[in-house]
Amino acid sequence: MLKTDSRFSAFQQALHQNKISCVDRVHHHLSVIKEKSHLNVFLSVYDNEALKKAAEVDQKIREGTAGRLAGLVVGLKDVFSHQDHPLQASSKILNGFVAQYNATIVERLLDEDAIIIGRQNCDEFAMGSSNENSAFGATLNSIDESRVPGGSSGASAVAVAAGMCQVSIGSDTGGSVRQPASFCGVVGLKPTYSRISRHGLIAYGSSFDCVGIFSKSIEDIALVLEVIAGSDEMDSTVSQREVPSYSKELSDDNPKKYKVAYLNEVMQSNVLQPAIKKTLQNKIEQLAATGHTVDGIDFPLLAYALPTYYILATAEASSNLSRYDGVRYGYRSDNTKDIESLYKKTRAEGFGKEVQRRILLGTFVLSANYYDAYYTKAQKVRNLIRKQTKEILAQYDFIIMPTTPTTAFKLGENTQDPIAMYLTDLFSVHANVAGVPALSVPCGHDEEGLPIGLQVVANDFDESRLFQFSKVLMKFE
Ligand code: GLN
């Protein structure tokens, strides 16, 4: 089925020519999910509901009333509120919790006739880079099952790579869509901060949190972004800017030549895997050979993006996660004697180790004695990083860099060393600290056959050109 063109538009065409139905499509994905259940990708599969919705959409297609995403099979990371469905952020502390309402993105997907097939595993509260911090166990990378798929939206990337759904919706606070996309060989978007409503997304670091999109094709991502982006009365931080027709603008012929920067610090980095460096160098040469301008520039602040992110995101997390107290929802410890022991025991038993580490770290950097030394200073560095990034993007259309320093690592390789795990986010956190959009695109493989991802970073709200340019990049051999 549709072996030659994995884009959703190819499926839609077949759908409208009656060559295939949405019900067939859902059956196909359900069979892949079943066949590959050992990868531990889905925490819930909504088979009956998805088949029912598919039949309704097939009917709408016959009547000519189907929405823009008619038949798009979507998986949701376990951080989005989907009414009457379980929601746990892969944490024990939300055991048994059922969502009361739809996130804005869920509402918009369903309104355009997308079909939600299930809820996907992730790192607990989206904190992690390998999907190993889940109360439901690790997810395996479908390309090499001894390796991690990345994180925190690792399962969402595997779902797309292995053909369990067409598109996954994840969240990217410090790289959680782009890093797994690069480890699994798919495309992953972190849009401009404030482009997509966060209403109904479980909060981790609110000033960084972005809804992100996975697919095998840039075209699918453009179409989905067009549907889910834009102002929302339920989230006052969402931009009021009009949402362009990303998919239409992408299909226009694009002979434009761009000005692209790469960072000398990245090229000189001693943690960058040689195969990734070589891939980046090849792309730079190909861009230059085809008439684009490519310059190496200095950006010494890059090294500060990681500590800045881990101070600010954990500070915000310590506040956001204070609501999980055993009183309001989810897990509650037994045998507690008073309200204080109820809070303490519930949180000690309900949160995993990494989440506890981050709450402690965040509380520490916000404490009266250390606030200025860490939190205030990190805010200042964040402003500087944003300012200098904007200065670069005033001179260049894009910055191109690796999404990750290495390809997918082995399961268990970094679990004993949190700093080693954090370092895998070295290049991805920059776009979150600066608030700008970035897209990770698959660009070949290393000597072991593992996918390499490069990311293109663009100016605020420049997603349309980001897609156009990334398409050029993906076409180079
Ligand atoms: N890997 C990063 C972290 O552990 C990013 C997570 C994310 O983007 N949600 O915080």
Side-chain angles (χ1 to χ4, degrees), residues 256-261 392-399 457-459 462 465:
K256 196 166 180 288
K257 300 299 172 200
Y258 295 103
K259 265 191 93 179
V260 184
I392 298 170
L393 291 167
Q395 283 182 53
Y396 292 90
D397 296 306
F398 308 107
I399 304 169
V457 178
N459 213 336
D462 207 3
R465 291 194 324 146

Side-chain angles (χ1 to χ4, degrees), residues 126-129 152 172-176 204 309-310 358 425:
M127 297 176 190
S129 310
S152 63
D172 191 315
T173 305
S176 276
Y204 159 23
Y309 165 77
Y310 274 98
R358 294 195 188 199
D425 305 325

Side-chain angles (χ1 to χ4, degrees), residues 81-129:
S81 204
H82 180 195
Q83 193 169 14
D84 300 331
H85 295 77
L87 173 62
Q88 276 189 249
S90 289
S91 180
K92 182 177 167 187
I93 211 154
L94 279 170
N95 260 355
F97 183 73
V98 174
Q100 312 285 300
Y101 62 90
N102 277 335
T104 298
I105 59 120
V106 170
E107 202 70 41
R108 291 183 183 176
L109 289 168
L110 292 174
D111 281 351
E112 291 296 339
D113 288 327
I115 299 165
I116 296 177
I117 199 157
R119 175 173 69 110
Q120 297 161 334
N121 203 353
C122 59
D123 282 303
E124 186 179 1
F125 284 99
M127 297 176 190
S129 310

